[in-house]
């Protein structure tokens, strides 16, 4: 049986079969069904209140739409490519189920404002879910950071040992990145949560609709101000994609560190077997596939952002069919972002660190050289001179194959008379981290304070 097209009135020839499939979006936009039905129920409710539909028509439409929702959810709904998209599939089914009242649902609206509304409702929900996943990951990081507030590892710049830091401090750096990410999504949602419905095709509608009422029914902040803008711009989706790209960029950086740390060469952490896989040829291998895959997925999310920007850039006002292409990249972004956050939140507790190897690495790279310079400054040497003196001491260490703390007092005094026996306390890793004792510093006491403030911030939300 052929499904009659809802717009076929002015056409005398059928659509070319390939064009029909090529222009259809139902295969992917059917995932918007819940929002499409939610929007239609609100629209019908408003139309009845405005006297455009009778209450009987309204009730019949709502019951019909709810029935369709059940059919979709139980897998009984037959999606038709001939009916092009989710909107016309639902509407056609409604009319065949309830008769003429169904044909009145589309009064005072167009698919253009309908689809823009559906996507915004969808994204608003997904943003909430994603923010929840970020929060779960943040809690996992706080717990781990608390456990590892005193664990020392080398901090790097240029991936060269720079200064000792605490592992808790490192994990709290990740926490901060995610805090900004979560905030960015909340901000993005302010612009997502605006209602296009009522803009109709592009210019508004001649019916006495009450957009404020519909917006209230759907939980939107307000109706959009300009109908041309509301049906056409997808900047809200692009902004979400940009926020998603930043989150993935952060997860990718974290992945990179996890991968490096779990290598035999670093040996800083152990990733539990449940987050790794083996090799089909090399029996000894345990590969950090999960962080690698997250790092890899970052590429497609960046790609979707550029795809959406490019999709929009050439479009004149108002709606153009180009916009149908916004959905697949957006859905793929949401799915992969959620998946990556979920796997990360599950994986963090499954990381065990190897404090002995971390310590050994920190002891190797002259990580306390800055501490020695600061020591000399406290004893009256200008910083530039101190830098020079310590550089020479490091050169001696390199030639002898030992760290600064392993040089004798006599050797050290050969570089500066100001060095006394108390120097060894600043050359220890513990002394080095404990000395960075101010807000934002790596001292264990500061890491604990930062965790405390973070927990408070999260509890207040
Ligand atoms: N499937 C379309 C989309 O995703 C719905 C809007 C179609 N509007 C139109 N005038 N052809 O954008």
């Amino acid at each position: 049986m052929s499904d009659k097209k809802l717009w076929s009135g002015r056409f005398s020839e059928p659509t070319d079969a390939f064009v029909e499939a090529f222009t259809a979006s139902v295969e992917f936009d059917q995932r918007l069904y819940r929002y499409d039905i939610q929007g239609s129920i609100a629209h019908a409710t408003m139309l009845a209140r405005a006297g455009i539909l009778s209450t009987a028509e309204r009730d019949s439409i709502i019951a019909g739409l709810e029935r369709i929702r059940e059919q979709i959810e139980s897998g009984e709904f037959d999606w038709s490519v001939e009916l092009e998209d989710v909107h016309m599939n639902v509407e056609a089914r409604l009319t065949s189920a309830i008769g003429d009242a169904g044909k009145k649902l589309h009064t005072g609206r167009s698919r253009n404002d309908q689809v823009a509304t559906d996507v915004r409702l969808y994204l608003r929900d997904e943003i909430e879910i994603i923010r929840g996943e970020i929060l779960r990951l943040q809690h996992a990081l706080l717990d781990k950071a608390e456990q590892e507030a005193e664990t020392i590892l080398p901090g790097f710049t240029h991936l060269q040992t720079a200064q000792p830091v605490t592992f808790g401090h490192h994990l709290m750096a990740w926490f901060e990145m995610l805090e900004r990410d979560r905030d960015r999504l909340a901000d993005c949602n302010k612009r997502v949560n605006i209602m296009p419905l009522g803009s109709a095709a592009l210019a508004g509608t001649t019916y006495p609709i009450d957009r404020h009422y519909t917006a209230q029914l759907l939980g939107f902040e307000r109706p959009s101000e300009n109908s041309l803008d509301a049906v056409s711009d997808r900047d809200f989706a692009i902004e979400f994609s940009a926020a998603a790209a930043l989150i993935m960029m952060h997860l990718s950086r974290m992945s990179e560190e996890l991968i490096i740390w779990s290598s035999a060469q670093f040996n800083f952490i152990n990733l539990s077997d449940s987050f790794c896989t083996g090799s089909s040829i090399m029996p000894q291998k345990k590969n950090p596939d999960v962080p690698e895959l997250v790092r890899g997925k970052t590429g497609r999310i960046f790609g979707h952002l550029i795809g959406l920007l490019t999709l929009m850039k050439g479009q004149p006002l108002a709606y153009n069919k180009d916009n149908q292409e916004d959905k697949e990249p957006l859905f793929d972004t949401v799915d992969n972002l959620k998946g990556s956050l979920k796997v990360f939140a599950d994986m963090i507790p499954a990381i065990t660190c190897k404090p002995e190897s971390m310590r050994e690495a920190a002891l190797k790279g002259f990580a306390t050289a800055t501490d020695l310079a600061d020591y000399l400054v406290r004893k009256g040497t200008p910083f530039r001179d101190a830098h020079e003196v310590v550089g020479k001491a490091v050169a001696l260490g390199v030639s002898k194959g030992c760290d600064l703390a392993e040089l004798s007092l006599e050797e050290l005094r050969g570089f500066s008379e100001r060095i006394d026996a108390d120097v060894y306390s600043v050359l220890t890793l513990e002394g080095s981290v404990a000395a960075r004792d101010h807000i934002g510093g790596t001292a264990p006491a500061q890491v604990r304070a930062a965790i405390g403030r973070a927990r408070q911030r999260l509890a207040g939300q």
Side-chain angles (χ1 to χ4, degrees):
M1 185 198 80
S2 155
D3 284 306
K4 186 171 176 293
K5 296 199 183 331
L6 303 185
W7 42 251
S8 61
R10 66 103 73 203
F11 288 76
S12 48
E13 286 174 58
T15 321
D16 173 274
F18 182 73
V19 168
E20 183 171 85
F22 186 73
T23 53
S25 54
V26 65
E27 224 177 281
F28 49 84
D29 69 12
Q30 55 181 267
R31 92 145 80 178
L32 294 172
Y33 77 89
R34 237 174 341 118
Y35 304 105
D36 198 66
I37 289 173
Q38 185 188 359
S40 289
I41 289 177
H43 182 64
T45 306
M46 181 279 292
L47 288 179
R49 194 173 183 233
I52 302 163
L53 288 182
S54 71
T55 53
E57 286 165 336
R58 174 198 66 195
D59 293 347
S60 153
I61 286 172
I62 293 176
L65 287 170
E66 282 170 350
R67 176 85 193 102
I68 288 171
R69 183 164 52 201
E70 285 161 21
Q71 286 168 343
I72 295 173
E73 279 166 8
S74 62
E76 289 164 48
F77 193 91
D78 241 345
W79 295 100
S80 152
V81 171
E82 286 171 51
L83 289 169
E84 197 174 320
D85 56 26
V86 59
H87 324 292
M88 291 195 291
N89 268 268
V90 170
E91 193 190 321
R93 175 64 65 87
L94 179 71
T95 299
S96 69
I98 69 167
D100 278 356
K103 294 187 186 164
K104 295 190 177 178
L105 171 63
H106 213 52
T107 312
R109 75 171 187 190
S110 143
R111 274 186 298 152
N112 298 351
D113 57 344
Q114 195 179 348
V115 70
T117 302
D118 291 2
V119 175
R120 284 170 183 268
L121 286 170
Y122 159 79
L123 205 49
R124 183 178 76 183
D125 268 8
E126 294 296 349
I127 285 175
E128 239 354 83
I129 295 169
I130 293 164
R131 290 188 76 234
E133 280 297 309
I134 297 178
L135 197 60
R136 202 164 71 81
L137 172 54
Q138 286 183 295
H139 278 293
L141 288 170
L142 285 175
D143 292 344
K144 210 14 99 194
E146 203 153 50
Q147 286 164 24
E148 310 296 345
E150 304 201 3
T151 309
I152 296 175
L153 77 165
F156 299 100
T157 60
H158 315 270
L159 203 56
Q160 311 282 323
T161 298
Q163 292 171 356
V165 293
T166 49
F167 193 40
H169 194 54
H170 196 114
L171 295 171
M172 287 303 288
W174 293 1
F175 175 93
E176 286 298 319
M177 301 173 190
L178 293 166
E179 186 65 1
R180 291 191 295 279
D181 289 334
R182 212 160 50 85
D183 206 40
R184 230 184 312 274
L185 284 178
D187 198 67
C188 168
N189 194 48
K190 289 185 205 159
R191 285 167 291 281
V192 169
N193 198 22
I194 306 291
M195 187 191 74
L197 204 59
S199 301
L202 76 166
T205 175
T206 55
Y207 299 94
I209 58 172
D210 181 352
R211 298 186 66 219
H212 287 282
Y213 180 56
T214 319
Q216 190 192 324
L217 290 175
L218 292 172
F220 279 114
E221 187 62 35
R222 60 177 171 84
S224 56
E225 285 286 336
N226 183 293
S227 59
L228 293 166
D229 174 43
V231 293
S232 70
D233 209 337
R234 295 294 182 264
D235 61 349
F236 67 93
I238 298 175
E239 190 177 345
F240 168 80
S241 296
L246 284 169
I247 300 170
M248 290 303 292
M249 179 273 286
H250 284 149
L251 294 183
S252 184
R253 295 184 66 198
M254 296 171 201
S255 297
E256 177 72 3
E257 293 189 319
L258 292 172
I259 293 161
I260 292 177
W261 292 342
S262 59
S263 70
Q265 288 68 24
F266 270 75
N267 196 32
F268 284 3
I269 59 164
N270 182 49
L271 263 181
S272 110
D273 286 1
S274 42
F275 292 89
C276 296
T277 59
S279 155
S280 53
I281 172 167
M282 296 167 283
Q284 85 282 13
K285 296 276 273 183
K286 176 174 154 184
N287 298 327
D289 285 35
V290 167
E292 283 174 345
L293 200 52
V294 170
R295 188 178 57 185
K297 282 180 184 296
T298 305
R300 73 206 266 171
I301 308 289
F302 289 6
H304 293 328
L305 170 61
I306 295 298
L308 288 172
L309 280 166
T310 313
L311 167 70
M312 203 70 238
K313 80 175 270 290
Q315 290 192 48
L317 287 171
Y319 177 86
N320 303 278
K321 184 80 167 179
D322 310 41
N323 277 343
Q324 182 163 294
E325 286 287 305
D326 65 353
K327 287 164 205 65
E328 285 159 295
L330 188 60
F331 296 161
D332 189 69
T333 298
V334 165
D335 292 345
N336 283 291
L337 177 59
K338 280 200 295 195
S340 302
L341 285 165
K342 178 189 163 19
V343 83
F344 246 79
D346 294 343
M347 181 174 60
I348 295 297
I351 293 171
T352 39
C353 62
K354 301 182 173 173
E356 281 316 311
S357 322
M358 288 179 170
R359 191 176 179 82
E360 207 179 301
L363 284 171
K364 253 187 226 152
F366 301 97
T368 57
T370 318
D371 298 83
L372 179 56
D374 290 345
Y375 168 90
L376 286 167
V377 168
R378 282 196 297 278
K379 299 243 170 168
T381 311
F383 183 78
R384 272 291 150 238
D385 295 341
H387 188 284
E388 171 83 15
V389 164
V390 178
K392 289 190 172 133
V394 166
L396 177 62
V398 170
S399 73
K400 294 189 64 178
C402 71
D403 197 60
L404 291 177
E406 294 168 284
L407 294 175
S408 70
L409 184 56
E410 213 169 281
E411 284 168 320
L412 286 170
R413 281 179 67 87
F415 298 108
S416 168
E417 294 280 288
R418 291 190 162 116
I419 299 179
D420 292 310
D422 63 349
V423 74
Y424 290 103
S425 67
V426 314
L427 294 181
T428 64
L429 299 178
E430 283 71 19
S432 172
V433 293
R436 285 159 173 86
D437 190 19
H438 52 76
I439 184 165
T442 195
Q446 291 297 336
V447 172
R448 290 210 175 85
I451 293 169
R453 287 192 299 275
R455 285 202 195 282
Q456 245 174 355
R457 223 188 307 165
L458 298 193
Q461 287 170 3

